[in-house]
Amino acid sequence: MVILGAGFAGLAAARELCGKGVDVTIVDRQNHHVFQPLLYQVATAGLSPADIAAPIRSIVKKHERTHVRLGEVVAVNSHARLVELAEGDFLPYDYLIVATGARHGYFGREEWAEHAPGLKTIDDATLLRRKILLALEHAETLPPGPERDRQLTFVLVGGGPTGVEMAGAIAELTRHSVSMEFRTIMSKLSRVVLIEAGPRLLASFPERLSECARRSLDKLGVEVRLSERVVDVDARGVGLENERIDAGTVIWSAGVMASPAARWLGVEGDRAGRVAVEADLSLPGRPDVFVVGDVASRSRADGRPVPGIAPAAKQMGVHAARVIAARVTGRQTPPPFRYRDYGNLATIGRKRAVADFGHAQVRGTLAWLLWCVAHVYFLVGFRNRLIVGANWLWHYFTFDRGARLITALDGGAVFGGRHDPHGAEQFRNIVTDAPQRAAHV
């Protein structure tokens, strides 16, 4: 049994197969599993990377028949039942689960990625943290004027849960931390703009909760721009259809694309690159290959697609594993996959959140407490739960974000497989322009 990807779906499948008489090999490009719903907290200096991640080998260390392979998949030969890795090795399989998740989607404008990074990995989060903190440091050395205003402008493209949570977190970071620690820039000088092409935020939530989220962002000072489309992104900011916004930091949260699984498997993907699957989550015509999580396209009974969220990925991973275990042991095959919706949660900031449970809708402090409890509970490992809970308690009483570390300045950083020099470039701008700003400082 080979599982591609150690995200929510892949790990759920591996755990379900433990003790079922199956040898499991997990393949992933990273050696760690990341709790993606809290990546924005790393990007805004609320948590450290190790607080929301754990080594894959540590997670499965008690599963004696589970092995971990660090590697990158480049192809799948379903006829020979072989997975090809970038280093040239081949892994044979009897059953294959593809759970490689999704990446950022720029609607065909991939050149925007250089100037508007998204948030999917630990590297993404630390890159964004560096960009945000360097923008504040740069603005501290600048005299009043357009360039300082640009450095203190943060634009988020996309009004889904990630965009809303990031906008609220950046607003709290720039207002409270700036007012307490910086000397020449004031909290009221920072500008956070959230741009959504649709008519409302959080489109997957009821309209009442979407409006509640918008009002909460307004109270935090976030400028919400609805029904406006981004037509250009460059190093100086973003262009809208009728306006341009100069910004030092642009963050992309408007769309995702599935991993290249469709290409590996030699099948046609939908517009987002997802692969259509059968009722048991297997690939049509290939009962030994299962596709789960963000890379799978499957509709619910009411015709709506299964959402690309962590609970859905876990349920799909478990179901695929149960189908395989039933075949291996000769037991009755489980019924077709049915997604169980346990609700949606989104936080906007301190004591501000919305929760949709279908029959009940919650907002405000109660929803925020539910969000905190749920995210701490689903973290991997007792240590991470304890640390995250303690950090949030400390932040609540002090407003202090202790993970404000600017790293990898000497030569930039690796982002998405590319060398990203923007952190070093921002740092050089601060240092080399210092003499001209000495009088102001």
Side-chain angles (χ1 to χ4, degrees):
M1 177 73 212
V2 173
I3 299 174
L4 306 184
F8 291 111
L11 283 183
R15 285 170 168 165
E16 186 66 23
L17 288 168
C18 180
K20 302 290 175 54
V22 179
D23 289 314
V24 178
T25 298
I26 301 173
V27 182
D28 200 287
R29 293 187 300 175
Q30 307 288 345
N31 79 326
H32 54 267
H33 166 78
V34 179
F35 190 74
Q36 287 190 344
L38 290 181
L39 274 173
Y40 85 96
Q41 294 251 333
V42 175
T44 54
L47 296 171
S48 295
D51 296 342
I52 65 166
I56 301 169
R57 294 183 185 276
S58 175
I59 296 172
V60 300
K61 64 183 178 182
K62 295 182 180 179
H63 303 180
E64 295 183 357
R65 299 184 67 174
T66 299
H67 310 274
V68 179
R69 177 65 185 266
L70 191 66
E72 184 172 358
V73 178
V74 294
V76 174
N77 187 332
S78 57
H79 299 291
R81 292 187 175 182
L82 292 173
V83 174
E84 182 181 354
L85 303 182
E87 52 268 35
D89 292 346
F90 292 86
L91 296 178
Y93 66 85
D94 295 307
Y95 289 96
L96 176 68
I97 293 181
V98 180
T100 44
R103 52 192 171 88
H104 316 119
Y106 291 88
F107 309 110
R109 301 297 299 271
E110 299 304 316
E111 68 274 15
W112 291 355
E114 180 181 358
H115 309 296
L119 188 60
K120 281 292 182 183
T121 67
I122 287 289
D123 288 339
D124 298 346
T126 53
L127 168 68
L128 289 175
R129 182 180 67 183
R130 181 167 59 253
K131 289 176 68 70
I132 293 168
L133 296 179
L134 277 173
L136 295 176
E137 295 289 348
H138 199 180
E140 175 78 351
T141 68
L142 291 168
E147 181 58 22
R148 186 174 75 170
D149 293 341
R150 188 181 76 85
Q151 291 294 334
L152 290 174
T153 299
F154 305 86
V155 172
L156 297 103
V157 183
T162 299
V164 168
E165 291 173 348
M166 277 291 292
I170 292 175
E172 290 186 337
L173 170 68
T174 55
R175 279 153 177 77
H176 292 290
S177 294
V178 165
S179 63
M180 291 188 291
E181 299 180 3
F182 287 79
R183 299 293 179 258
T184 63
I185 55 176
M186 309 286 287
S187 60
K188 63 182 179 181
L189 298 178
S190 61
R191 181 188 182 194
V192 182
V193 184
L194 177 59
I195 302 172
E196 166 57 39
R200 63 187 179 94
L201 302 175
L202 301 176
S204 61
F205 284 71
E207 188 170 351
R208 175 170 168 263
L209 294 184
S210 296
E211 178 61 21
C212 176
R214 188 194 63 78
R215 290 197 303 268
S216 295
L217 288 172
D218 284 342
K219 292 177 181 178
L220 286 172
V222 176
E223 184 180 332
V224 179
R225 311 286 289 269
L226 299 176
S227 300
E228 296 197 30
R229 192 177 302 276
V230 172
V231 297
D232 187 40
V233 180
D234 57 35
R236 302 287 298 178
V238 301
L240 306 179
E241 291 175 331
N242 300 309
E243 182 185 356
R244 177 171 177 82
I245 301 177
D246 289 335
T249 304
V250 180
I251 299 171
W252 189 264
S253 59
V256 296
M257 285 287 295
S259 67
R263 175 168 54 82
W264 300 338
L265 297 168
V267 299
E268 190 74 24
D270 64 11
R271 291 176 57 187
R274 294 171 299 189
V275 177
V277 295
E278 300 283 9
D280 63 353
L281 305 181
S282 66
L283 198 62
R286 303 184 197 173
D288 58 335
V289 177
F290 293 79
V291 182
V292 297
D294 291 346
V295 76
S297 174
R298 182 68 190 170
S299 297
R300 294 183 266 186
D302 58 6
R304 293 182 298 163
V306 175
I309 57 178
K314 287 183 177 180
Q315 292 178 34
M316 295 176 93
V318 169
H319 184 85
R322 287 176 177 172
V323 172
I324 293 169
R327 292 179 184 175
V328 169
T329 59
R331 296 178 181 176
Q332 183 177 359
T333 303
F337 173 74
R338 183 172 68 88
Y339 168 62
R340 292 170 175 81
D341 189 352
Y342 296 111
N344 278 335
L345 295 164
T347 181
I348 301 104
R350 180 186 177 90
K351 295 194 295 185
R352 295 180 174 95
V354 292
D356 174 31
F357 299 108
H359 59 283
Q361 298 173 10
V362 185
R363 55 184 177 176
T365 302
L366 178 58
W368 179 74
L369 289 172
L370 289 171
W371 182 92
C372 291
V373 171
H375 283 70
V376 169
Y377 176 79
F378 286 111
L379 274 169
V380 174
F382 175 76
R383 172 192 171 276
N384 285 5
R385 297 187 190 111
L386 185 63
I387 290 176
V388 170
N391 276 335
W392 283 349
L393 192 63
W394 178 258
H395 297 164
Y396 181 81
F397 289 108
T398 66
F399 287 95
D400 181 40
R401 290 176 179 259
R404 296 192 307 278
L405 305 179
I406 301 175
T407 57
L409 289 176
D410 52 348
V414 174
F415 169 62
R418 304 186 308 276
H419 184 70
D420 180 74
H422 293 301
E425 182 180 352
Q426 282 181 276
F427 180 68
R428 285 194 297 271
N429 289 339
I430 297 173
V431 175
T432 57
D433 294 347
Q436 290 80 358
R437 302 183 184 121
H440 165 68
V441 174

